Amino acid sequence: MSPLMIAGHEFQSRLFTGTGKYASADAMMASISASGSELVTLSLRRMDLKHQSDNILQPLQQHGIKLLPNTSGARTAKEAIFAAQLAREALQTNWVKLEIHPDPRYLMPDAIETLAAAEALVKQGFVVMPYVHADPVLCKRLEEVGCQCVMPLGSPIGSNMGLASKPFLEIIIEQSQVPVIIDAGIGAPSDAALALEMGADAVLVNTAMAVAQNPAQMSLAFKMAVESGRLAYESGLGEKRQQAVASSPFTDFIGSLS
Amino acid sequence: MNNEITLYVNDHPLSLVGTTLADLLEQLDKPTQGIAVAIDHEVVPKSRWATTLLADNMNVFIFESIAGG
């Protein structure tokens, strides 16, 4: 299985994960370890001065996992740029998952603000990974302004609806010169396998793993599905046809009975 | 000389003795790994914490990394 390159960084695993929604830091670590993921997302928030929060950074760093801060909570390009600058300081990385979704009900990414922020952040030296709608035109525009990959959604965040945007993801994958990482909505390992079979370079999965009854086992299932999907893609899948094509040779031994 | 000042940290008023951002963080007794600080909406890099002077009524915002998707 070929490695994935993003901004000069090589990944053996094509499964990226999030750190949200886990019952505990231990459950999160067990799950991420089982997934084999080498890149995980984190968020930033204003520090609670009265309470100590769980330290999830240390175990992640001990396992050598690359951190990808997101700009979740940003509603405009300006806020997202500020969040990215804070994240760069907090986590000492110039990688950022750019997400701007002002509407809390559907969490749909704002294309106009995202493109503006992406362009500015690339100029400031960030490796920008934008979370966007499965919009082929927008994905090309983001590539043109210097994003190192694009992250179109399969379906709404946390919805488990899988690749509802499949026809548009196919166009994005066909056109893209940068890696395509399908983010959001992937609810089952079969969704992830399909994404990789279609030629997506990676997937990002959080909710489906974190809220499973057995998160670590579900993460292993996703790992296997992603590897399976990628292997199938690299092996060359057969074309779909309207008619049957025999898998066994036609012989005339039945005819010889008459 | 008493150099106590009052400023706002994440919108909470706070009086402290000391003059630098590094002093403030030390007094808050919070982990400094994985955090970022902004003063009046400008990010202050860690390398400047010790030389950044605080003044009365300043708005300091401290951010921490947390779990997220």
Side-chain angles (χ1 to χ4, degrees):
Chain A
M1 209 166 61
S2 63
L4 169 62
M5 295 292 289
I6 300 173
H9 191 98
E10 188 177 299
F11 295 95
Q12 300 304 320
S13 168
R14 291 171 178 270
L15 174 57
F16 299 152
T17 58
T19 54
K21 300 183 185 172
Y22 282 99
S24 69
D26 286 345
M28 178 200 79
M29 261 335 290
S31 191
I32 291 170
S33 294
S35 76
S37 183
E38 297 161 303
L39 184 72
V40 304
T41 60
L42 289 164
S43 301
L44 277 194
R45 71 159 179 208
R46 283 189 192 184
M47 183 183 268
D48 183 342
L49 298 175
K50 295 196 179 75
H51 302 100
Q52 201 79 20
S53 47
D54 255 7
N55 185 0
I56 57 167
L57 274 189
Q58 210 178 351
L60 290 169
Q61 287 171 331
Q62 275 171 356
H63 284 75
I65 292 162
K66 190 166 175 57
L67 305 176
L68 177 63
N70 67 29
T71 62
S72 184
R75 290 159 300 173
T76 62
K78 194 178 166 204
E79 288 179 3
I81 292 165
F82 183 52
Q85 291 167 342
L86 287 166
R88 180 164 60 181
E89 264 309 300
L91 297 173
Q92 300 293 304
T93 174
N94 63 342
W95 288 44
V96 65
K97 179 185 167 191
L98 175 61
E99 50 180 297
I100 304 175
H101 33 74
D103 158 36
R105 183 161 183 214
Y106 294 111
L107 299 172
M108 289 288 112
D110 185 319
I112 295 156
E113 297 295 319
T114 302
L115 181 61
E119 190 164 13
L121 288 169
V122 166
K123 283 182 183 153
Q124 292 178 28
F126 283 90
V127 172
V128 180
M129 303 175 68
Y131 165 65
V132 287
H133 220 290
D135 178 339
V137 176
L138 176 61
C139 286
K140 277 315 267 188
R141 294 286 299 268
L142 287 162
E143 181 185 317
E144 284 161 14
V145 301
C147 291
Q148 301 276 9
C149 68
V150 289
M151 304 181 80
L153 57 80
S155 48
I157 292 174
S159 70
N160 295 327
M161 286 199 293
L163 307 185
S165 57
K166 185 167 177 273
F168 305 101
L169 293 172
E170 285 169 338
I171 298 171
I172 293 167
I173 291 165
E174 185 206 321
Q175 292 184 345
S176 189
Q177 301 295 312
V178 293
V180 177
I181 299 154
I182 299 179
D183 183 9
I186 292 177
S190 53
D191 298 330
L194 177 60
L196 273 289
E197 285 173 7
M198 282 162 52
D201 295 279
V203 289
L204 196 153
V205 182
N206 187 164
T207 302
M209 292 179 182
V211 306
Q213 279 180 27
N214 185 338
Q217 188 167 297
M218 184 62 86
S219 300
L220 176 62
F222 269 100
K223 176 182 194 273
M224 294 165 82
V226 166
E227 287 173 359
S228 170
R230 180 64 191 183
L231 282 174
Y233 172 75
E234 288 184 9
S235 307
L237 287 157
E239 272 180 46
K240 289 187 178 167
R241 297 170 199 269
Q242 291 297 317
Q243 288 186 330
V245 180
S247 300
S248 306
F250 280 108
T251 55
D252 62 353
F253 80 92
I254 294 173
S256 70
L257 295 177
S258 60
Chain B
M1 188 182 112
N2 182 1
N3 57 353
E4 184 169 302
I5 55 170
T6 299
L7 39 66
Y8 296 87
V9 180
N10 290 4
D11 291 331
H12 296 287
L14 192 79
S15 296
L16 79 152
V17 177
T19 54
T20 69
L21 181 54
D23 293 334
L24 167 66
L25 294 169
E26 198 180 309
Q27 287 182 41
L28 287 175
D29 195 24
K30 289 281 185 180
T32 55
Q33 205 212 5
I35 74 162
V37 184
I39 295 180
D40 299 332
H41 295 96
E42 284 287 325
V43 180
V44 183
K46 202 168 271 191
S47 58
R48 296 218 311 262
W49 288 356
T51 54
T52 298
L53 299 176
L54 299 175
D56 254 333
N57 292 316
M58 249 183 189
N59 277 301
V60 179
F61 289 102
I62 306 175
F63 296 82
E64 64 182 342
S65 42
I66 56 158

